[in-house]
Amino acid sequence: MNKINVALIFGGKSGEHEVSLSSATSIYKFIDKEKYNVFTIGITKEGNWLYYEGDVENIKNGTWEKTANKNVNINLIPTINKNIGIEFENGKFEKIDVLFPALHGPYGEDGSIQGLFEISNIPYVGCGVLSSSVGMDKLICKKVFEQENLPQVKYTYTTKWDFNKNKDKVLEEIEKEISYPIFIKPANLGSSVGISKAKNREDLINGINEALKYDKRIVLEQGIDAREVEVSVLGNEEVYASVPGEIIPAKEFYDYEAKYLNESSKLLIPAKIDNKIIDEIKNMAVKAFKAIDGSGLSRVDFFIEKNTDNIYINEINTMPGFTNISMYPKLWEATGISYSNLIDKLIQLAIKRYTDKCITHLGSCKIE
């Protein structure tokens, strides 16, 4: 059987660039090389696409750009004279069969690059344009979850324009809607970047100003005393949920530092939760995934209120961190799917989604 050519895409212009480098490094190390040829394509923080062929550790440490081959043409736009794929200096051409974006945050999991993949007409791992954009936008996603009757903590929102125009009025409205402590989040960002916790109005003002550095719209949520639990989801039409895992943050809450920089944060896998609650969380995770028309993978985050055991959905992440020690693959490992097999399943799901779409719209198509 011929090997499948996979283009592993990493980096990007978002604030989660470094997280992406770690995800891509792990994927490259653990992907089945007997089954897949892997071509690594990096996107710089300035948005330049470069082909890289060298020590994979240079991807992780960020030095890959220094030795990237700037003379290799990466063509993802259909033209009359050029095929879709990678064209080398010596004239050799490699067709891309599947795209694997190990990209997080804006321009990577918000539907932007997924639109390019759709135009390229190549199978790609993960959610499509709509589900990626909805999943990335915390505010829109909350509205979708409301329609699906998925329980959430109380929330409100504001915009940069409104806050700058009438700060006092906005603050009063927020304090009327929800009470302290209040979590402040940019509407479009991942990895807990720009998130803060306010215990009073001074904190609230500072938190809003911080969040507005990253987005023009922000979400404000009622803080509750809760356990933080996450579930991994896998599938297209037929969707499965992993065992849940619990986060014990090193800090007061699970911000960027607690996730990636502070080794004192702990992941309890599987979470020590009653079976009834586990079933409810897994069902809610699948329902949330289907509500945004998800495909491939997502990680769904929940709160379990400590004094009541009430379950609240927090958010869905359509391209979660994907190192071999990240929560998403670790949860599947605990459920019975190894990291390498998980990569393989995601690629096969991408191909199936593509062929199903082709059968529906074009009659037939296949990956050669």
Side-chain angles (χ1 to χ4, degrees), residues 87-288:
E87 186 179 352
F88 295 87
E89 294 172 272
N90 61 6
K92 181 183 176 182
F93 179 82
E94 292 287 356
K95 177 178 175 287
I96 297 173
D97 295 315
V98 182
L99 297 160
F100 198 130
L103 298 164
H104 310 296
Y107 308 107
E109 59 175 308
D110 61 356
S112 300
I113 203 163
Q114 286 76 16
L116 172 61
F117 297 160
E118 291 286 347
I119 292 170
S120 299
N121 197 31
I122 303 175
Y124 59 93
V125 169
C127 289
V129 176
L130 175 64
S131 49
S132 295
S133 58
V134 170
M136 187 69 190
D137 193 304
K138 293 180 177 67
L139 180 56
I140 299 301
C141 202
K142 283 182 176 296
K143 293 179 182 294
V144 172
F145 290 163
E146 277 184 34
Q147 291 296 312
E148 293 293 318
N149 295 316
L150 287 162
Q152 303 175 83
V153 298
K154 289 183 179 180
Y155 76 93
T156 186
Y157 67 95
T158 189
T159 67
K160 188 172 187 177
W161 191 85
D162 287 334
F163 186 68
N164 290 337
K165 182 182 178 183
N166 198 336
K167 181 188 294 185
D168 290 337
K169 182 181 178 181
V170 168
L171 292 170
E172 288 172 6
E173 289 176 348
I174 292 169
E175 291 171 331
K176 184 178 179 181
E177 289 288 328
I178 51 180
S179 56
Y180 294 105
I182 296 171
F183 282 94
I184 307 126
K185 303 177 179 181
N188 280 279
L189 210 61
S191 289
S192 301
V193 175
I195 294 179
S196 61
K197 181 179 181 180
K199 298 179 180 179
N200 50 53
R201 179 171 281 204
E202 182 181 358
D203 290 346
L204 182 59
I205 294 169
N206 292 335
I208 291 174
N209 285 326
E210 178 65 19
L212 288 175
K213 293 178 183 178
Y214 300 96
D215 198 359
K216 66 180 181 179
R217 295 179 305 140
I218 60 171
V219 175
L220 303 106
E221 297 175 347
Q222 173 73 64
I224 60 173
D225 186 16
R227 301 166 68 182
E228 297 184 49
V229 174
E230 300 180 347
V231 173
S232 295
V233 175
L234 179 71
N236 290 339
E237 289 82 12
E238 192 172 11
V239 182
Y240 301 93
S242 72
V243 298
E246 182 173 2
I247 298 164
I248 310 297
K251 299 179 65 178
E252 190 174 2
F253 65 96
Y254 204 41
D255 64 1
Y256 185 90
E257 180 184 347
K259 274 188 178 180
Y260 301 111
L261 304 178
N262 193 327
E263 296 181 359
S264 297
S265 293
K266 296 179 181 179
L267 306 179
L268 300 182
I269 303 172
K272 295 179 180 179
I273 306 172
D274 291 342
N275 288 334
K276 182 180 178 181
I277 296 177
I278 289 174
D279 291 341
E280 190 172 351
I281 288 173
K282 290 171 71 172
N283 288 336
M284 287 171 64
V286 172
K287 185 176 182 179

Side-chain angles (χ1 to χ4, degrees), residues 10-14 17 42-50 64-65:
F10 61 88
K13 296 196 296 181
S14 86
H17 182 97
I43 304 174
T44 69
K45 290 182 178 180
E46 295 72 36
N48 298 316
W49 291 52
L50 299 171
W64 66 274
E65 288 183 47

